[in-house]
Amino acid sequence: MKKNFLVLILLTGFFTLGCSSTYGPTYYYSPPVTTTPTPTGISSSNPIRIMGNLYPETYPGYSPAASSAVSVYVNGTAVTNAAVTLITPYSTMVLPWDSVDRIYQNDGFGITLDYGQVYTIQATTTAGVASASCTMPGPINLSSNGLYATWSNPPNSNVGFNVERGGYTLGSYSGYSPYYLPATVFSQGSGTYLYDMVIANQAYIFSNAGTGSAFVINFQNYVNVTH
C-alpha cells in the first residue's frame, strides 16, 4: 500500500483514507450511514481533538490488511509529540508520527476483522488522554451468483459496490440491505469479475475529546465472482 492521506469531509463527519492497493484499482468511497448512535463523551470545552480512520481491506488469496491514520490537536494546534495507539480486541498498536504526511499512521499491517466489536484510537497528550471508539462494520454477505448482498452492521448503512474486470470499472452501485445488483453487472460475458465493496461506520463513544473529534472505519472487501 502507498502512503495514506487523512481528509476531513465536513458535511458528513466521515474521513476518507486514500489507500492505493497493490491488488488492483482502488475504489475511493465513504457511503453514508443513516442510523448512527448519538456520540457521547465529546465536550466543547475540551482542548483535545482527535480525528482518525481505520481502513481494513480483504482481497482473495491474501490475509486481511489495514491502514490507520490519526491527526491530533490541542487547543486548535496540531501536535507531533502525542502517543497515539490503535486498540483492537486482540492487540494495541502504536501509530508513529509521519513527518512527511504529518499524521500518525501505520500502513499495511495485518488485522483480525472482528465484526461488531469495538476498535479504539487513543491519544495521550500534554493536555490529557482522549479516545474515540467505533464498531467494526460488516460482514457483507454476497450470494454465489454475485447478484444479492446483505449486511447488518451498522444498521441501515448504505454500501457501495464497484464491479471491475481487467482493471476497468464496469459499474458502480449503492444501496441498503438486502440489495439486488442488476444482471447487467456481467456485461462482459463469462469470466471473473472483481467486486469492490465498501461499508463505513463512525465512532459513537468518545472520552475526553473535544468538538470536531471523529473516527471512522471504512471496511473495503474485494470478492471475485465467476459468471
Side-chain angles (χ1 to χ4, degrees):
M1 296 184 185
K2 298 180 180 178
K3 291 292 183 182
N4 301 311
F5 300 92
L6 190 65
V7 179
L8 175 61
I9 302 177
L10 295 173
L11 294 179
T12 65
F14 284 146
F15 291 87
T16 300
L17 186 61
C19 179
S20 182
S21 169
T22 56
Y23 306 141
T26 296
Y27 187 30
Y28 296 87
Y29 184 78
S30 285
V33 177
T34 59
T35 301
T36 303
T38 301
T40 61
I42 294 182
S43 170
S44 59
S45 61
N46 194 287
I48 308 172
R49 179 161 52 102
I50 51 176
M51 301 182 298
N53 185 296
L54 174 61
Y55 197 147
E57 64 177 348
T58 64
Y59 193 85
Y62 292 84
S63 298
S67 295
S68 185
V70 179
S71 292
V72 181
Y73 297 82
V74 174
N75 292 316
T77 300
V79 297
T80 64
N81 61 347
V84 178
T85 55
L86 171 67
I87 304 169
T88 80
Y90 300 98
S91 64
T92 297
M93 174 186 301
V94 174
L95 301 182
W97 172 254
D98 187 319
S99 59
V100 176
D101 292 336
R102 300 194 63 77
I103 52 177
Y104 300 89
Q105 72 170 337
N106 196 349
D107 189 9
F109 56 88
I111 190 171
T112 299
L113 296 174
D114 200 351
Y115 307 111
Q117 297 300 306
V118 173
Y119 290 67
T120 299
I121 52 172
Q122 177 176 285
T124 302
T125 74
T126 56
V129 181
S131 65
S133 298
C134 185
T135 299
M136 176 67 70
I140 303 171
N141 301 305
L142 185 67
S143 64
S144 59
N145 65 3
L147 297 179
Y148 176 70
T150 61
W151 57 94
S152 59
N153 175 38
N156 297 323
S157 57
N158 179 307
V159 170
F161 299 84
N162 208 38
V163 180
E164 305 164 1
R165 187 173 182 185
Y168 295 94
T169 299
L170 305 177
S172 297
Y173 314 88
S174 65
Y176 302 91
S177 181
Y179 186 75
Y180 295 86
L181 284 87
T184 53
V185 298
F186 301 124
S187 60
Q188 301 298 306
S190 299
T192 299
Y193 292 75
L194 181 66
Y195 278 46
D196 180 354
M197 304 178 290
V198 180
I199 185 171
N201 198 17
Q202 61 187 5
Y204 62 93
I205 296 177
F206 296 83
S207 176
N208 202 36
T211 303
S213 295
F215 176 38
V216 166
I217 300 177
N218 287 292
F219 172 47
Q220 187 166 21
N221 186 198
Y222 296 90
V223 176
N224 280 326
V225 175
T226 301
H227 173 68

